[in-house]
Amino acid sequence: MEVFLSSSRPLRADARRNREALLSAARQAFLGGDADAHVEDIARSAGVAVGTLYRHFETRDALIEEVYRKEVDDLCTEPGVLLDQHAPEEALRRFLLLLVDHAAVGKGMSGVLESIMATDSPVFDDARTRMAGALSLLLEAGSAAGTVRDDVTGPTLLRALGGICGMRATAGWLVEARQITALLFDGLRHGAPQAP
Amino acid sequence: MEVFLSSSRPLRADARRNREALLSAARQAFLGGDADAHVEDIARSAGVAVGTLYRHFETRDALIEEVYRKEVDDLCTEPGVLLDQHAPEEALRRFLLLLVDHAAVGKGMSGVLESIMATDSPVFDDARTRMAGALSLLLEAGSAAGTVRDDVTGPTLLRALGGICGMRATAGWLVEARQITALLFDGLRHGAPQAP
DNA sequence: CCATAAGGTGAGTCCGGTTCCGTTTACGTG
DNA sequence: CACGTAAACGGAACCGGACTCACCTTATGG
């Protein structure tokens, strides 16, 4: 149980390299769908020994948590990029599908995600908040352009997506999730029939 | 990896007793919220040795699966009882809240539930089907009595509940889940404003 | 170039699920 | 009521995998 001071001096060059390699190896493993990849393997494929892994991450779960956090970070930068390249409506559509596909990562890590949630770690609150922010950005752009209805907020949409991605882990879930997301998107477009 | 022939002769008296004791001990443990109770402990508190546990259940997960299945069985008999004692509307209300509280059991077993789902074991399909049936029974009784709207089916309602119970594991989820369920119930009552 | 503290290593520990085989026990039969 | 036997039980041993620790290596600032 190492203690990591948040105000420590910058890492030594090799240390930073190894840390990076570990995160990327772990990401690789979990994206590959191997939810219970062994630490030994992750360490080896990063070219270091387990001891090094444990120097950087308190536990296996902490490593996964970090991978998850980075993944969320990356996703949250996407809306900006998409809005540069596409009309708001299309950007929104792409982002929704991106999120669903991304839930595949969650699938690989589901057991741990549960345990993280149970731990009340702030990671999830953070993730939720940032993700809702990302969605809001898209929704606002769309409603400003008049192509997306303006009575749905980021957090609401996130909740809907959460429900969809909760389907994870039954066979064929991805296809179904994509369909439902497409429906959801249609409902978000301006001019869709609205409940009074 | 024992093989259990489905058409084996009835268990010996002591064997049945022990099996029962094991299930009840396991149930106790998981209801108590200890998601990762040790097999050793479960066996001991059932008054047997681990070997005996493994004679009856192929693996730890199999034991949990069985507990879950029994739990669902029990729940599915409730609607009948409730309909005997209450008006359909009230029976429905009570059953919905019962289900939410019951999700607490699910919480204790969440990790395993995930892994069962991932295993494509038929347990979940069964559970879903039976549960939807139980809900249908209540909905039909209610709509026959004219107190519950008739355009919602058991499977649909189950899906909605699934979403609510998916909230499991964040602090305070139970309170929130109860609230949302109450809202849901109000929406189900005949005469509630309906989307066109 | 040296001192030194940061970083790395990997065999070993611990822990918990699972197995295996010798012993005990229920129960049908003579 | 023995008795034989298959069924059931016990629990020490096994094994796989996360985590530790005592010792070695190396980056880096002076």
Side-chain angles (χ1 to χ4, degrees), chain B residues 40-59:
Chain B
E40 199 83 32
D41 296 342
I42 293 176
R44 184 173 28 254
S45 79
V48 301
V50 273
T52 302
L53 189 154
Y54 279 96
R55 164 164 302 268
H56 291 289
F57 307 96
E58 294 204 39
T59 97

Side-chain angles (χ1 to χ4, degrees), chain A:
Chain A
M1 287 292 172
E2 283 272 332
V3 175
F4 293 80
L5 298 174
S6 47
S7 61
S8 61
R9 68 185 56 188
L11 290 173
R12 227 168 69 176
D14 54 344
R16 190 155 26 70
R17 232 178 1 251
N18 285 335
R19 179 168 225 282
E20 227 51 49
L22 280 165
L23 279 171
S24 133
R27 182 168 187 285
Q28 193 83 2
F30 295 126
L31 280 171
D34 187 2
D36 29 50
H38 303 327
V39 285
E40 199 85 38
D41 295 344
I42 294 176
R44 182 172 29 255
S45 79
V48 302
V50 273
T52 302
L53 189 154
Y54 281 96
R55 166 168 300 272
H56 289 289
F57 306 96
E58 294 204 41
T59 105
R60 182 175 180 280
D61 285 6
L63 169 59
I64 298 180
E65 187 175 312
E66 194 61 34
V67 170
Y68 178 77
R69 187 205 304 279
K70 277 195 88 166
E71 205 66 16
V72 171
D73 274 351
D74 288 356
L75 272 171
C76 287
T77 66
E78 272 304 303
V81 178
L82 286 168
L83 282 173
D84 277 355
Q85 300 176 345
H86 305 277
E89 191 181 2
E90 176 65 8
L92 176 59
R93 195 183 69 82
R94 290 184 181 233
F95 189 60
L96 292 183
L97 291 174
L98 196 62
L99 280 187
V100 171
D101 288 349
H102 174 73
V105 181
K107 178 172 157 62
M109 321 196 324
S110 55
V112 186
L113 292 190
E114 289 278 339
S115 74
I116 291 175
M117 290 209 244
T119 318
D120 278 328
S121 120
V123 178
F124 263 87
D125 279 344
D126 283 9
R128 246 191 299 278
T129 305
R130 278 179 300 161
M131 198 59 91
L135 288 168
S136 294
L137 188 66
L138 287 163
L139 287 168
E140 275 156 27
S143 82
T147 49
V148 173
R149 51 194 283 182
D150 57 9
D151 59 348
V152 177
T153 68
T156 300
L157 184 49
L158 181 59
R159 198 163 306 238
L161 289 167
I164 292 172
C165 295
M167 310 186 334
R168 271 180 343 210
T170 32
W173 71 276
L174 189 53
V175 176
E176 210 182 335
R178 283 215 189 93
Q179 283 172 358
I180 298 182
T181 305
L183 288 175
L184 182 63
F185 173 70
D186 287 343
L188 288 170
R189 294 163 75 178
H190 190 69
Q194 304 193 5

